[in-house]
Amino acid sequence: MSDYSYKAVNRDMGRVIHDYDLISAGDRILVGVSGGKDSLSLLWMFAERLRRIPIDYQLVPLYVDPGFDGGFASDLEQWCRRQLDLELLVEYTDHGIVAHSDENLENPCFLCARRRRQRIFEKAEETGCSKIALGHHKDDILETFFINMCYTGVMSTMRPAQQMFEGKFTIIRPLAYVDEDRLRRFAAAMDFPEFVNPCPSGDRSKRREIKEIVASLTRGKKKIKNNMFRSLGHINMDYMLKPAGRLR
Ligand SMILES: Nc1ncnc2c1ncn2[C@@H]1O[C@H](COP(=O)(O)OP(=O)(O)OP(=O)(O)O)[C@@H](O)[C@H]1O
């Protein structure tokens, strides 16, 4: 595999795995696969690494089907089997339907994501996986930082390795150093299929709004984006406000 985008994704993935010690021998890793370019890239890269690097761990790919008509679960299953020789677990649910029904008074995306997350933890427990890998990338991490700051008044984001339930599970994000653009190019170079999610609320407007804000701050300059990302790990508390400080 000589493609430039592969090398770049592989290098960034290797760096984050090393920096955060994401994988150990004997791990069983549940990989959340949504059918989008990010999690397909993650699963593909993981499977390829496993063949190449002599650390013995197991991958358990999982798709949580939200239950809409016209879903793609069986196509995704076939892709995993044919391309990667992996058996995809499919968890059929009605999360999407319930989230869009009159009985739900919350935001549909919020409820659906919460239930999906719950189900992912349950399946991790059932299948004996203590690590859960998700396809979040560098842009997701930056955007989450701004979403949390703008909408909840907290400076926080998603970590490349996050312990949950007092260490019972660790969420890992092996694509945390990879730019979204790079993943887009990689998925195109690999000719990954596009599994279209039939969800009626596919737009997720809050994230789209923040994406535009981040894009306007970076103005396409890689250096600015990388500095913003780096700053998430370089916080000078001596020059920050007191936690109780309140602006009127
Ligand atoms: N239905 C699902 N089943 C299993 N895992 C999921 C599902 N939806 C999302 N995930 C996991 O959560 C991660 C983040 O979800 P999100 O919806 O933000 O993804 P995305 O930005 O659309 O990325 P992707 O291209 O992987 O779909 C995904 O990369 C994947 O690892």
Side-chain angles (χ1 to χ4, degrees):
M1 171 72 54
S2 60
D3 180 75
Y4 174 74
S5 59
Y6 161 78
K7 285 189 181 154
V9 173
N10 184 46
R11 185 196 54 221
D12 288 346
M13 188 164 159
R15 278 175 49 221
V16 76
I17 288 174
H18 175 263
D19 286 356
Y20 286 85
D21 203 9
L22 294 188
I23 304 174
S24 311
D27 276 347
R28 273 175 70 78
I29 307 175
L30 183 135
V31 185
V33 185
S34 67
K37 66 178 191 325
D38 307 331
S39 46
L40 290 184
S41 301
L42 173 65
L43 186 62
W44 192 96
M45 291 298 296
F46 249 149
E48 192 266 344
R49 278 184 91 77
L50 194 52
R51 286 194 293 271
R52 192 166 40 86
I53 298 176
I55 301 181
D56 184 26
Y57 57 96
Q58 285 175 310
L59 299 173
V60 181
L62 168 73
Y63 171 56
V64 180
D65 187 307
F68 297 112
D69 286 341
F72 53 72
S74 59
D75 293 340
L76 184 57
E77 236 174 332
Q78 273 193 31
W79 184 82
C80 290
R81 196 173 298 134
R82 286 194 188 144
Q83 298 289 319
L84 308 174
D85 200 18
L86 287 171
E87 279 309 307
L88 177 76
L89 295 180
V90 179
E91 184 68 2
Y92 290 96
T93 74
D94 60 0
H95 295 166
I97 312 286
V98 172
H100 288 86
S101 70
D102 293 340
E103 73 184 78
N104 174 32
L105 303 174
E106 297 181 65
N107 173 319
C109 298
F110 183 74
L111 181 69
C112 196
R114 195 176 62 206
R115 291 199 170 182
R116 179 175 68 227
R117 206 176 154 86
Q118 236 167 20
R119 194 56 68 92
I120 288 177
F121 283 121
E122 284 164 11
K123 292 302 288 183
E125 170 133 55
E126 247 178 76
T127 54
C129 295
S130 60
K131 290 189 178 157
I132 299 171
L134 301 176
H136 295 116
H137 46 65
K138 186 194 270 181
D139 298 56
D140 285 326
I141 289 177
L142 258 185
E143 286 155 21
T144 300
F145 173 77
F146 283 99
I147 289 175
N148 292 350
M149 187 163 68
C150 296
Y151 288 95
T152 63
V154 175
M155 291 177 98
S156 68
T157 189
M158 302 181 288
R159 286 182 139 175
Q162 182 94 55
Q163 297 218 337
M164 306 293 295
F165 306 111
E166 293 165 359
K168 184 171 177 187
F169 300 108
T170 306
I171 293 189
I172 61 172
R173 298 184 167 95
L175 302 180
Y177 291 173
V178 187
D179 287 278
E180 181 169 21
D181 263 358
R182 206 158 255 175
L183 284 170
R184 207 173 280 124
R185 282 200 291 274
F186 174 63
M190 295 301 298
D191 211 11
F192 286 158
E194 284 184 38
F195 295 103
V196 180
N197 187 348
C199 172
S201 320
D203 76 323
R204 297 189 304 165
S205 53
K206 197 187 281 178
R207 189 166 283 276
R208 205 174 51 201
E209 178 200 351
I210 293 290
K211 207 178 227 346
E212 282 164 18
I213 292 174
V214 175
S216 73
L217 289 172
T218 58
R219 288 174 285 125
K221 294 203 169 100
K222 214 172 155 188
K223 186 168 179 197
I224 297 183
K225 185 167 144 193
N226 283 342
N227 273 341
M228 280 162 70
F229 188 75
R230 231 165 50 87
S231 75
L232 299 179
H234 288 99
I235 299 162
N236 189 342
M237 291 306 289
D238 291 342
Y239 287 84
M240 298 299 279
L241 304 192
K242 286 206 294 189
R246 196 180 257 268
L247 295 176
R248 288 175 200 280

